Amino acid sequence: MLHLRLITPADRTDDVVRLIEKTVGTTHLVVLRGAARNPAGDVVMCDVAREAGDELLSALQELGVDRTGSIAVENIDLSLSKRAEKAEEEAPGEAADAVLWEHLTDATHEESTLSVTYLAFITLATMIAACGVLLDNAVLIVGAMAVGPEFGPLAGVSTALVQRAPRLALRSLVALLVGFALAMAVTVGFSLFMDAVGLFSKDKLEGARPNTSFVYAPDAFSFVVAVLAGAAGTLSLTSAKSGALVGVAISVTTVPAAANAAVALAYGDTRQTWGSTEQLLLNLLGIVLAGTLTLLAQKWFWARQRERVRQRTPRAPELG
């Protein structure tokens, strides 16, 4: 269940209340007249089944509540109420399958922000991966994959394509390009420093690396795994099952490929530099493609669900 707290102008409160009452899957409606001070107005609260949340939020935005007042949404971890159970039963579909598009757009917007923290994480992840590829250590590679924050901007690109949000697309692309460019540049310098102190060497880079040679040898499986991981990661975001993102992070080779490309560039190994860059681009393309197709499929599925509910529900009078 979701909890909505709305601030509405006094002259729009009745419209908002009628909207909530006619929305299938809502309950626990509370109206506090004149309770809001900034902005001034009434406070309206209700609980709504997650699978009905996106439709209600869209309708509230059409009424202009987000512009003249405010809309706040919280997840309810526990609700002991027969009315809540009935609301969830009446709502279409399953809560785990529901997509809150506004929440997804907001989350990916935040994750794709080009911040100091984001740049620090992607740079540190690439440097850890550089140690992993030179030592042929799979544990370090997995650790670097888990640390890398690049799935946020990738999900942002997919969301922007589906929602037709050019600003989010630009923001996400800038975060990806600047993030990887800075991380690889720093890793080149890190590699030269490690070579100077005798910890890295060209022989290690070009020697047999059975555990990590895949990062510069892309094949069909590289793209297939990226597509599967992109779909799984998108589902984990839209269903609020964020724990699955860790598994997604360690199943794609974006950061390790970038790290190997940087190390190879430092040593002038063009074969590995190009192979790693190809691996990186294949993974990025596969994740974005799968994420976009997954979101389009979810959007189509929920449009059908809404249409079925409308056909079963008697038409309510138009709001005044």
Side-chain angles (χ1 to χ4, degrees), residues 4 19-20 23 26 46 48 52-61:
L4 270 62
L19 171 63
I20 294 172
T23 301
T26 59
C46 72
V48 58
D54 187 65
E55 183 176 9
L56 179 56
L57 289 173
S58 297
L60 288 169
Q61 288 177 298

Side-chain angles (χ1 to χ4, degrees), residues 6-298:
L6 316 173
I7 297 179
T8 68
D11 61 342
R12 301 298 289 168
T13 300
D14 290 341
D15 291 342
V16 170
V17 170
R18 285 198 295 271
L19 171 63
I20 294 172
E21 289 176 335
K22 79 166 189 177
T23 301
V24 176
T26 59
T27 187
H28 303 153
L29 176 60
V30 177
V31 180
L32 303 175
R33 300 282 181 180
R37 293 292 179 267
N38 184 21
D42 302 330
V43 175
V44 179
M45 295 180 286
C46 72
D47 295 341
V48 58
R50 181 181 172 85
E51 51 269 42
D54 187 65
E55 183 176 9
L56 179 56
L57 289 173
S58 297
L60 288 169
Q61 288 177 298
E62 289 177 6
L63 287 176
V65 177
D66 56 324
R67 299 186 298 274
T68 58
S70 77
I71 303 173
V73 183
E74 299 173 326
N75 281 307
I76 300 176
D77 295 327
L78 177 64
S79 179
L80 302 177
S81 166
K82 290 294 183 182
R83 290 180 178 273
E85 292 177 7
K86 185 173 184 294
E88 289 187 317
E89 290 173 0
E90 292 175 346
E94 297 294 331
D97 298 331
V99 182
L100 296 176
W101 291 101
E102 287 299 326
H103 178 271
L104 177 63
T105 302
D106 184 68
T108 51
H109 183 277
E110 181 179 348
E111 291 294 325
S112 60
T113 300
L114 188 63
S115 63
V116 173
T117 301
Y118 170 82
L119 292 174
F121 269 119
I122 197 168
T123 301
L124 291 171
T126 306
M127 292 166 70
I128 293 171
C131 295
V133 295
L134 261 293
L135 296 174
D136 195 35
N137 188 316
V139 174
L140 288 177
I141 293 295
V142 170
M145 291 175 176
V147 171
E150 72 280 6
F151 189 80
L154 290 169
V157 173
S158 296
T159 303
L161 291 174
V162 174
Q163 294 292 85
R164 298 178 182 179
R167 293 182 64 182
L168 176 59
L170 179 61
R171 189 186 191 95
S172 301
L173 288 172
V174 168
L176 278 174
L177 295 176
V178 174
F180 273 114
L182 177 65
M184 292 174 72
V186 172
T187 302
V188 169
F190 174 71
S191 301
L192 295 174
F193 170 77
M194 294 292 278
D195 179 80
V197 298
L199 295 177
F200 280 10
S201 69
K202 190 172 184 179
D203 290 338
K204 288 182 179 179
L205 176 71
E206 298 180 346
R209 289 189 283 146
N211 293 321
T212 57
S213 60
F214 65 91
V215 299
Y216 61 86
D219 54 21
F221 279 107
S222 301
F223 186 72
V224 170
V225 171
V227 167
L228 296 175
T234 302
L235 286 173
S236 72
L237 282 177
T238 58
S239 64
K241 295 184 181 297
S242 57
L245 280 176
V246 177
V248 171
I250 61 177
S251 62
V252 292
T253 54
T254 48
V255 166
N260 198 81
V263 176
L265 184 63
Y267 284 114
D269 188 329
T270 55
R271 181 180 67 87
Q272 286 200 39
T273 299
W274 174 247
S276 300
T277 302
E278 202 175 8
Q279 177 80 278
L280 173 62
L281 294 176
L282 272 176
N283 275 269
L284 295 177
L285 176 62
I287 292 171
V288 171
L289 177 62
T292 303
L293 292 177
T294 301
L295 290 175
L296 286 171
Q298 289 179 294

